[in-house]
Amino acid sequence: MKLVPIHEMNIEAAAEIINSNQEYNYLENGSFTRTLDEVRKELMNDTTESYLIKRDHQWVGVIDYLKYNHKDQTPWLGLLMIKGSDHYKGYGKRAYNVFEEKLRNERIGKIRLGVLQTNEEAKVFWGKMGFIRYGTSQWEGKAVDCYEKILE
């Protein structure tokens, strides 16, 4: 499994993955799908690093990450999404492990993320990945549980 930077030549693959997760899209923004322009705006910007997750010759997921949050001087994982048809195959865990190894190689000592409070599956997943809930915040009017993992 490897991470491939998202750019104009592969943005449609990222949009396909995002649109294969209609329940999450609805939880996040009240719409089951996202337009290509919305995906482009979210994943191709000067603020975050975005990657497609490639397994063998298939795109299986997307990762979006903020290397430095000015509010807390900490990196934040904004999105780890696996293609809907590839859920429950262990790809999320493997992709996160590849991502975490990237962070360790960059000598990053911790990572944070937020999970919508209504997203029970994600809270269980991140707990299994070693993240600890440290607080609650608001994001775009929604309650979010904040998690952190120290990278040893």
Side-chain angles (χ1 to χ4, degrees):
M1 201 164 271
K2 69 180 194 173
L3 305 179
V4 177
I6 292 177
H7 49 76
E8 192 58 43
M9 296 295 288
N10 60 22
I11 190 68
E12 287 184 12
E16 181 183 328
I17 290 164
I18 288 171
N19 284 324
S20 73
N21 287 278
Q22 293 185 350
E23 285 182 32
Y24 175 80
N25 287 330
Y26 192 78
L27 280 175
E28 182 189 17
N29 61 40
S31 177
F32 290 110
T33 60
R34 310 282 302 276
T35 67
L36 185 57
D37 284 339
E38 288 171 328
V39 172
R40 185 180 286 114
K41 182 178 176 183
E42 181 177 344
L43 299 179
M44 294 177 60
N45 59 66
D46 295 331
T47 308
T48 63
E49 293 181 22
S50 301
Y51 301 92
L52 278 162
I53 302 161
K54 191 172 193 175
R55 179 185 171 274
D56 299 326
H57 301 291
Q58 301 288 328
W59 301 120
V60 297
V62 174
I63 288 183
D64 184 55
Y65 136 81
L66 177 63
K67 194 166 191 171
Y68 183 82
N69 185 332
H70 293 284
K71 293 179 183 177
D72 62 6
Q73 298 73 50
T74 304
W76 279 74
L77 179 58
L79 179 68
L80 169 60
M81 180 179 283
I82 300 300
K83 189 174 185 177
S85 60
D86 288 327
H87 286 191
Y88 307 108
K89 295 180 180 178
Y91 296 167
K93 180 179 180 180
R94 293 199 328 235
Y96 175 75
N97 288 335
V98 169
F99 174 71
E100 187 175 294
E101 186 63 29
K102 172 188 175 353
L103 298 180
R104 290 175 195 274
N105 289 339
E106 294 175 8
R107 301 198 192 295
I108 293 174
K110 69 180 171 182
I111 183 80
R112 290 182 171 169
L113 57 87
V115 177
L116 295 169
Q117 284 187 336
T118 55
N119 192 344
E120 295 298 327
E121 256 185 89
K123 291 192 273 187
V124 169
F125 174 81
W126 291 115
K128 287 180 181 178
M129 297 306 297
F131 281 79
I132 306 295
R133 185 181 169 279
Y134 71 88
T136 302
S137 186
Q138 290 288 313
W139 176 75
E140 295 187 5
K142 298 173 182 82
V144 173
D145 286 334
C146 300
Y147 291 80
E148 178 178 86
K149 182 176 183 180
I150 303 300
L151 307 177
E152 300 167 357

